[in-house]
Amino acid sequence: MALRLLHFADLHLDRSFAGERLYGAGAYRRREDLRGALQRIVERAREAQVDLITCGGDLFEHDHVTRETASFMVQTLGEAGLPVLIAPGHADPAVPSSPYRYLRWPDNVTIAAHEELRPYRYGPVHVWTAGFMRPDMPDAPLRDFVRSQDGTHLLLLHASDMSQVPQGITPDKPILPAQVEEAGFRHALLGHYHDARTTELITYPGSPEPLGWSESGRHCTALVTIEDDGALQVLLEDVNQRQFVEETIDVTGMSNLEQVRGAVLAMREEKHLDGAVIRATLVGERAHTLTIDPQTLSLECGDGFAYLEFRDHSRMSHDLDAAAQEFTSRGEMVRQLVGHKQGSRQEEQAVGRALQLALDAFDE
């Protein structure tokens, strides 16, 4: 065997999570999850007895990183006891104020703080890499690259495979599989896409932990083995302990909080959501006896979840027959609207919605 390495990317240490509307303790716990992921990656590298750890950028978020987290990175990667090669990305560019530049990193950690591709040799394998030296670097890194001839060559970058850009992702450092092959690289180990994927020429391990509600794909490390004859194998191994999940709970007909708790428990068990980060939206028509306070409900139903947030889009159900018997302005309003429900189906639906809204307003 020529080389075995463990590749990861897009950890985003010290992410704020404000974009996911996570604040305070919820955001703090997610940042602790990211630290735990780095420790698991190092442990996995030791277990697999790899020769090298590679990072495809966005190890941390430069705009939010603290000195405490910077020291944590230095200590954790230093204790790995094996070579680490990092290609800075757009979220952690090697600008003068970056921990990459102002901290003393252990001898086993190499930061590719240069814009041009350079080779780093590990046994018979050359790993070519370059880093972001500023946040915006839209250049195509392989455009003028001279083809590599002898030996086995890998590419390590924070870059965008333009043949498979995920929805909502802004491309950085565009490359194509054909360019990787033409440049003589056996494989490209990349960062930037947060869901794991691998092809014959390109591997993205994904972010080790999901970073938002839209990240439902796999979150892995990539164990890469290169044989003496140049044969290459990539094994994606799931590394995340959390998942971000958005769920909908129909509370129609429910009259007390115990029924809501039961629905939450059933959701957790049926969908195997223990330890997940959950945003649950309540919908449907609930009984008058059921009052929803999302914050209180989150506290009472949060057991077994890493985080649980409720959004209440439900409404109270109304007994129209009983309301029509009232000698009040509320009753008169119901009688008038019910009298208009004799038209087409579309008109009946419109009047029904108007009744619900009007009664909701009276209740408030």
Side-chain angles (χ1 to χ4, degrees), residues 253-260 285-292 315-317:
M254 295 186 185
S255 58
N256 56 66
L257 288 176
E258 285 303 319
Q259 293 173 320
V260 179
E285 295 184 5
R286 66 184 189 276
H288 284 265
T289 54
L290 175 57
T291 301
I292 300 293
R315 57 173 43 177
M316 287 187 184
S317 61

Side-chain angles (χ1 to χ4, degrees), residues 131-314:
F132 277 65
M133 300 302 291
R134 57 185 188 278
D136 53 335
M137 290 184 66
D139 60 302
L142 297 181
R143 180 178 298 158
D144 301 316
F145 185 76
V146 178
R147 179 180 174 85
S148 302
Q149 297 290 343
D150 300 329
T152 300
H153 300 265
L154 300 179
L155 180 64
L156 172 64
L157 282 177
H158 191 83
S160 301
D161 175 3
M162 300 305 291
S163 71
Q164 51 171 336
V165 180
Q167 185 176 3
I169 295 296
T170 301
D172 283 315
K173 282 186 175 291
I175 66 172
L176 289 168
Q179 292 177 314
V180 173
E181 187 172 25
E182 290 168 4
F185 291 111
R186 181 64 184 82
H187 204 78
L189 304 171
L190 304 183
H192 189 41
Y193 298 167
H194 290 182
D195 58 323
R197 56 185 73 184
T198 186
T199 65
E200 182 181 357
L201 290 168
I202 289 176
T203 291
Y204 287 95
S207 53
E209 288 285 351
L211 301 171
W213 306 105
S214 63
E215 298 189 4
S216 57
R218 294 182 66 191
H219 301 272
C220 303
T221 55
L223 183 63
V224 181
T225 303
I226 304 171
E227 302 296 344
D228 293 329
D229 61 0
L232 181 142
Q233 180 184 32
V234 177
L235 176 63
L236 292 177
E237 300 178 309
D238 296 279
V239 68
N240 60 300
Q241 288 189 338
R242 306 295 180 208
Q243 53 180 320
F244 276 69
V245 181
E246 292 185 290
E247 292 288 342
T248 299
I249 298 176
D250 190 345
V251 296
T252 297
M254 295 186 185
S255 58
N256 56 66
L257 288 176
E258 285 303 319
Q259 293 173 320
V260 179
R261 290 192 193 97
V264 173
L265 178 61
M267 174 192 72
R268 192 187 79 200
E269 293 180 347
E270 291 171 5
K271 299 188 177 183
H272 308 290
L273 296 178
D274 287 276
V277 180
I278 304 293
R279 175 183 286 166
T281 301
L282 304 179
V283 299
E285 295 184 5
R286 66 184 189 276
H288 284 265
T289 54
L290 175 57
T291 301
I292 300 293
D293 179 347
Q295 291 186 338
T296 300
L297 195 59
S298 295
L299 293 173
E300 294 185 355
C301 300
D303 289 348
F305 299 107
Y307 174 83
L308 177 62
E309 169 190 318
F310 284 102
R311 291 183 171 186
D312 184 21
H313 291 176
S314 67

Side-chain angles (χ1 to χ4, degrees), residues 45-66:
R46 291 199 196 101
E47 291 172 359
Q49 298 182 336
V50 303
D51 306 298
L52 171 68
I53 298 174
T54 57
C55 175
D58 288 2
L59 173 60
F60 57 88
E61 296 203 350
H62 175 77
D63 292 343
H64 305 113
V65 68
T66 64

Side-chain angles (χ1 to χ4, degrees), residues 33-90:
D33 287 341
L34 301 183
R35 287 194 179 199
L38 183 60
Q39 292 171 324
R40 292 197 304 277
I41 289 167
V42 170
E43 290 170 4
R44 176 59 186 139
R46 291 199 196 101
E47 291 172 359
Q49 298 182 336
V50 303
D51 306 298
L52 171 68
I53 298 174
T54 57
C55 175
D58 288 2
L59 173 60
F60 57 88
E61 296 203 350
H62 175 77
D63 292 343
H64 305 113
V65 68
T66 64
R67 283 188 172 270
E68 180 186 1
T69 296
S71 297
F72 166 78
M73 290 187 291
V74 168
Q75 179 178 350
T76 303
L77 294 177
E79 292 175 349
L82 51 97
V84 179
L85 180 60
I86 301 172
H90 72 95

